[in-house]
């Protein structure tokens, strides 16, 4: 009851009602400013760019930045004036959003969701003609673990316990090591989970987070919004975006020498925007590094199902740590997973979870409290997260059709990745690493000096200049490398591998024609 | 292209790769600390209560606080050892979560959601036996406005344009004044929308937000997490929780005299936890006050459909402002709405929106950018938000059954509110205002001195002490008033009106028996 006592003591500190406003729990009234400062600062203050939170101003998110706004304008043009541009449609290769480009949802998952949305269907005989038997059975199982079967109720702040049990089972089956449902926090996609961890760890700009460069800009945006410092470590493009421990150590020491307290290491595996898949030995070194340096390992593992090469395999960092004999007490480790990626690509459902291990009970209580302020994540997303971690199994009625859908999507993605990689590598002055996994290629553009000067003349970064020209000429939307970070003086773009397979040849020939003309125009 | 230029200039400021880490956009590396400070602060720092973000520590959220954790333990007891407590079930009256207590979802809404989750149903003949014709038609309409019909794709960062059109139509029909779909930001419930506005407005603890006391603790929690100051204004319990302009002015001046820049006024109407519904004249005064003082009016209007008295009516603040002749340029105003409340009570769907008016285009762009970092809210919640703002109309096939469900729920809530209000007022030393709206009663407990001393002896606030004793004796979970704020020296509890109607008589008699015994035990 300590908390209550403190609350009461706080209240007793203040005079009677209306003489002085009481200090409200957790949201202090500042009273130590000088009268002059008060007169300066506290008058009526309209909301302008100069008076909003500067952390908001600093935050950037290129994946939906200026180039996408420009693409939306072009799309409106095409609708209002067909033929007004040299292409017929905008191809959004800026964002990992498979279903927006025609990928179909996995039938089994959607059957279960529909049944859970409208449970009276389960009592009707017609339902058996419309839904597979195992989807019906799964919906019953799910409703059974939801208190009162109420899919419209707020759940436990971490998510429905029975769904967390299922997810823990799925993790254990994936890793061969046990998982604890109490470690799972279900979230509306992975992004809010990342924000929660940044909010927990960052106290001021003196706290640093080691992030890969290039990185997915959610990390830089979240660190900016929470007022921390991004400590960059560079992936080595020449070794296929290798993650080198010597680089981690160098950047950690460098940050520490500047007074930064480095709290955490972000690793994105498979990589975004880079597409590399980490080797097991490399992951072991990373775990060892985090353990020795007392860093929270934030493992972005949302592309765990997206692997396109035979010689690489996804290993979760938890599996690696446990296989090294490290337990909860050795290393704080958070794994992020999402229903938006994988073969399912259910971005619009906003489902995901984080598995939080290696924190003390009292710190975990703080994470729980912050989760509670937001009540819970959406129940459809929770259900879907339990499904992707426990898809149909051999012998289930849906298994064959499910497996055909899954394999069809993944093998097509692998073909598209290869075709686009080859196409980029076939362009003059462009080099492109393999997409071993994830949903992106991140080709490097070796641009002629004249192009760089032309960009400078219009006050654009060279990669942004290239991306704009590409969009205006072809309708293809890619994101400039500067939105992800890159070695200064190098230029890249991120391009998803997500357009449907029948569109890939046309995309490649448009890209090729554009690039040839661009190089011709700016040849030194 | 100014932003790109700035980006590039930033990069050019730094030496070559690996000599010094570049300042990453929006997440600065702090380099101005002294060497001594660096040596002190920057070593390996494990994650403990002493090293996490103190704003997280400060944040409190009583609605899912200690008493609920205690209730969950009792519930586990009851499951493992039936008969181990003097009650058979836990009655969660701590949170506005209607479907967790047995309220059934509105059929039409769920039919449409199920069809949108699994659109192939729309092509099957059996579907007509399972779904109403207007639900089928509505699902087609909705899929039609979703690009590619893809309910599994990320949408526009503000939400699907066609759904925002429908919501704007619903607002216009409600208010009699036009609404602009570009002003709507769809969100995962109202809570993330509140966080977004706090994040925008709060720069430091010198920025203050005027909040009612008592308040819904999302506000104090969000202000604490964003590092601002809560400037309390007291609702007048003796006039049915009246909101007095003189009190607003007094607290505003008081805060300003302490150097606080007051940015915004939060008004919750209908009130939570207080249940009052503001009169139109009062709302006009509030609008005038915000306009004159250049405050952002944050209008929590999530209970707009929950009105239980004939002499009160919900008026949105936007309608009031427009009826006074005030337009966009006169007053920044944000209205929050949610699918979790009303007669629908779809808490688990996490749908909601904010209507943002009266901000400059450039500030709106910043709100859009922050929304973009989180990609979009969940599409089922977006669809549901469009449905609650456009329910079936007279003549639609579902109208009669829909209206019967709606009226049934609202009239039952009105009866429950009255029965519980009367019950509280019938208890010795308890006074309880009417629940004119919302889902709560906030009775005041005039506790005997002996009870206050007994609470002190166990280091509990008297209202927390009472709530714990009530829970242990009856299984009824209410939240102590200290979680919402109250005039120092007064004590309250918040109790929802949500248990199903057939349980109300038993709840009342358990409450009465407990209270009599409590007063007997502690009578002065």
């Amino acid at each position: 009851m300590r908390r209550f006592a403190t609350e009461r003591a706080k209240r007793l500190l203040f005079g009677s009602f209306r003489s002085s406003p009481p200090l409200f729990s957790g949201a202090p009234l500042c009273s130590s400013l000088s009268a002059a400062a008060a007169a300066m600062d506290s008058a009526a203050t309209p909301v302008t760019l100069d008076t909003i939170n500067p952390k908001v101003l600093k935050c950037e998110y290129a994946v939906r930045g200026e180039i996408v706004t420009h693409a939306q304008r072009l799309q409106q043009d095409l609708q209002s004036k067909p033929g007004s541009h040299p292409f017929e449609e905008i191809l959004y290769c800026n964002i990992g959003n498979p279903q927006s480009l025609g990928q179909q949802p996995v039938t089994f998952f959607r059957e279960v969701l529909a049944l859970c949305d409208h449970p009276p269907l389960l009592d009707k005989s017609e339902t058996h003609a419309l839904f597979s038997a195992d989807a019906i059975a799964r919906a019953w199982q799910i409703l059974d673990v939801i208190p009162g079967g109420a899919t419209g109720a707020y759940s436990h702040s971490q998510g429905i316990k029975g769904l967390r049990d299922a997810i823990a089972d799925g993790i254990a089956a994936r890793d061969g090591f046990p998982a604890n449902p109490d470690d799972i926090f279900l979230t509306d996609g992975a992004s809010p989970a990342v924000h929660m961890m940044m909010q927990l760890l960052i106290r001021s700009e003196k706290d640093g987070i080691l992030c890969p460069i290039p990185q997915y800009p959610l990390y830089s945006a979240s660190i900016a919004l929470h007022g921390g410092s991004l400590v960059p470590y560079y992936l080595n493009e020449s070794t296929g975006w290798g993650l080198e421990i010597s680089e981690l150590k160098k950047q950690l020491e460098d940050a520490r020498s500047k007074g930064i307290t480095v709290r955490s290491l972000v690793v994105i595996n498979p990589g975004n925007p880079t597409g590399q898949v980490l080797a097991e030995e490399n992951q072991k070194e990373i775990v060892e590094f985090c353990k020795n340096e007392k860093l929270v390992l934030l493992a972005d593992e949302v592309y765990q199902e997206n692997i396109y090469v035979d010689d690489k395999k996804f290993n979760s960092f938890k599996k690696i740590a446990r296989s090294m004999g490290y337990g909860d007490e050795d290393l704080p480790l958070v794994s992020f997973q999402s229903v938006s990626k994988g073969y399912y690509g259910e971005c619009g459902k906003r489902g995901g979870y984080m598995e939080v291990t290696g924190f003390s009970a009292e710190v975990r209580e703080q994470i729980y409290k912050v989760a509670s302020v937001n009540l819970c994540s959406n129940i459809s997303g929770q259900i879907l997260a339990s499904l992707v971690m426990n898809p149909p199994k051999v012998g289930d009625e849906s298994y064959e059709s499910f497996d055909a859908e899954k394999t069809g999507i993944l093998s097509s993605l692998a073909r598209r990745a290869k075709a686009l990689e080859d196409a980029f590598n076939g362009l003059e002055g462009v080099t492109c690493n393999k997409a071993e996994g994830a949903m992106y290629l991140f080709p490097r553009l070796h641009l002629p000096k004249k192009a760089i000067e032309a960009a400078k003349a219009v006050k654009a970064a060279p990669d942004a200049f290239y991306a704009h020209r590409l969009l205006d000429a072809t309708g293809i939307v890619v994101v400039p490398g500067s939105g992800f970070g890159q070695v200064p003086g190098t230029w890249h773009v991120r391009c998803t591998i997500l357009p449907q397979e029948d569109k890939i040849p046309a995309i490649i020939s448009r890209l090729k024609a554009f690039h040839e003309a661009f190089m011709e125009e700016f040849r030194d």
Side-chain angles (χ1 to χ4, degrees), chain A:
Chain A
M1 296 252 199
R2 193 161 50 85
R3 191 160 56 86
F4 295 135
T6 319
E7 276 310 287
R8 185 155 177 275
K10 268 195 224 158
R11 278 172 221 301
L12 292 174
L13 280 172
F14 289 88
S16 66
F17 167 42
R18 280 160 205 265
S19 66
S20 172
L23 193 67
F24 197 81
S25 61
L29 264 174
C30 181
S31 55
S32 60
L33 310 171
S34 73
M40 288 287 290
D41 291 335
S42 60
T45 305
V47 182
T48 67
L49 285 193
D50 294 329
T51 66
I52 65 169
N53 179 0
K55 293 172 192 162
V56 167
L57 275 181
K58 275 185 199 158
C59 153
E60 292 194 6
Y61 187 68
V63 170
R64 287 198 164 175
E66 197 270 339
I67 193 148
V68 182
T69 310
H70 182 56
Q72 286 164 347
R73 276 193 299 266
L74 296 182
Q75 189 161 35
Q76 282 167 6
D77 281 0
L78 288 176
Q79 274 160 10
S80 57
K81 281 189 246 169
S84 55
H85 293 281
F87 43 85
E88 280 164 24
E89 63 171 336
I90 301 289
L91 274 162
Y92 288 99
C93 299
N94 59 301
I95 187 166
N97 192 7
Q99 296 191 29
S100 75
L101 295 176
Q103 182 175 308
Q104 290 306 300
V106 172
T107 307
F108 177 81
F109 296 159
R110 291 303 191 96
E111 286 183 342
V112 177
L113 288 183
L115 291 167
C116 291
D117 263 347
H118 192 42
L121 291 173
L122 290 164
D123 300 322
K124 304 277 173 63
S125 58
E126 292 89 346
T127 298
H128 295 273
L130 292 171
F131 294 85
S132 64
D134 52 341
I136 292 172
R138 187 69 77 96
W140 278 118
Q141 275 171 35
I142 287 170
L143 292 170
D144 236 29
V145 301
I146 299 179
T151 54
Y154 294 130
S155 71
H156 184 282
S157 305
Q158 289 183 231
I160 292 160
K161 173 64 166 58
L163 300 179
R164 286 186 280 129
D165 288 340
I167 290 169
D169 289 347
I171 294 171
R174 180 194 70 196
D175 291 347
F177 291 96
N180 182 347
D182 292 341
D183 293 343
I184 312 285
F185 287 74
L186 284 151
T187 49
D188 291 311
S191 304
V194 170
H195 286 310
M196 273 175 77
M197 292 312 301
M198 294 300 174
Q199 187 168 52
L200 184 81
L201 293 171
I202 295 173
R203 293 163 294 182
S204 74
E205 58 177 5
K206 288 165 66 181
D207 281 331
I209 309 290
L210 270 163
C211 282
I213 296 297
Q215 52 109 29
Y216 173 52
L218 166 67
Y219 293 97
S220 51
S222 188
I223 293 168
L225 286 172
H226 292 99
S229 288
L230 188 152
V231 179
Y233 67 91
Y234 286 84
L235 302 174
N236 188 343
E237 183 163 13
S238 67
T239 60
W241 300 113
L243 196 168
E244 293 161 5
I245 302 297
S246 57
E247 166 72 1
L248 288 180
K249 282 187 177 150
K250 188 183 154 302
Q251 299 293 1
L252 176 71
E253 290 315 316
D254 195 34
R256 283 183 177 164
S257 75
K258 288 176 176 145
I260 300 289
T261 303
V262 180
R263 310 298 316 261
S264 167
L265 170 70
V266 172
V267 179
I268 311 175
N269 180 45
N272 175 5
T274 46
Q276 90 284 16
V277 177
L278 296 179
E280 197 174 328
E281 279 313 306
N282 198 188
Q283 289 184 274
K284 284 184 181 170
E285 294 174 322
I286 293 165
V287 166
E288 202 65 48
F289 173 77
C290 287
K291 179 177 182 299
N292 293 338
E293 302 293 351
K294 303 220 182 309
L295 300 178
V296 177
L297 177 48
L298 296 177
D300 182 333
E301 301 182 324
V302 302
Y303 296 100
Q304 56 189 262
E305 303 263 12
N306 298 94
I307 310 275
Y308 309 120
V309 289
D310 293 335
D311 57 337
K312 288 287 181 81
K313 179 177 172 304
F314 170 77
N315 293 296
S316 78
F317 271 102
K318 185 163 152 249
K319 174 183 171 180
I320 297 292
R322 297 294 175 268
S323 73
M324 294 166 77
Y326 293 147
D328 235 1
E329 59 290 356
D330 293 303
L331 166 94
L333 166 59
V334 183
S335 165
F336 302 102
Q337 164 67 321
S338 168
V339 304
S340 302
K341 310 302 171 185
Y343 56 90
Y344 20 88
E346 291 277 18
C347 301
K349 296 297 175 187
R350 313 307 287 123
Y353 70 79
M354 57 176 180
E355 185 188 11
V356 177
T357 55
F359 290 84
S360 68
E362 53 194 4
V363 170
R364 254 257 283 274
E365 247 177 53
Q366 297 295 316
I367 303 174
Y368 175 77
K369 181 179 69 181
V370 172
S372 294
V373 173
N374 295 314
L375 299 163
C376 67
S377 62
N378 83 85
I379 305 298
S380 294
Q382 293 191 25
I383 291 171
L384 190 49
S386 83
L387 296 175
V388 305
M389 297 306 287
N390 293 276
K393 292 184 178 53
V394 179
D396 293 348
E397 181 184 300
S398 287
Y399 180 75
E400 268 184 52
S401 59
F402 162 78
D403 193 56
E405 289 176 15
K406 172 180 169 174
T407 313
I409 290 167
L410 287 174
S411 58
S412 168
L413 284 172
R415 288 190 299 271
R416 289 179 252 172
K418 185 76 179 75
L420 287 166
E421 175 205 325
D422 289 346
F424 278 116
N425 279 319
L427 300 180
E428 179 188 354
V430 176
T431 53
C432 185
N433 278 317
K434 198 177 277 192
E436 300 175 331
M439 296 181 168
Y440 315 98
L441 291 161
F442 197 63
R444 178 169 173 184
L445 314 174
H446 305 259
L447 296 173
K449 275 194 197 121
K450 263 194 201 162
I452 293 172
E453 278 155 25
K456 208 171 165 180
V458 295
K459 299 189 196 301
D463 51 4
F465 178 74
Y466 182 92
H468 268 265
R469 295 282 297 245
L470 175 65
L471 170 57
D472 286 337
T474 65
I476 301 170
V477 192
V478 298
V479 186
S482 43
F484 305 89
Q486 53 200 348
V487 171
T490 70
W491 308 109
H492 300 76
V493 293
R494 187 184 82 165
C495 179
T496 73
I497 58 168
L498 297 176
Q500 286 300 286
E501 215 166 348
D502 57 359
K503 295 201 169 166
I504 298 286
I507 289 173
I508 290 174
S509 59
R510 279 149 76 180
L511 174 66
K512 216 174 141 192
F514 160 76
H515 188 80
E516 279 167 11
F518 183 92
M519 294 303 274
E520 205 51 55
E521 183 177 350
F522 295 105
R523 198 175 302 284
D524 291 325

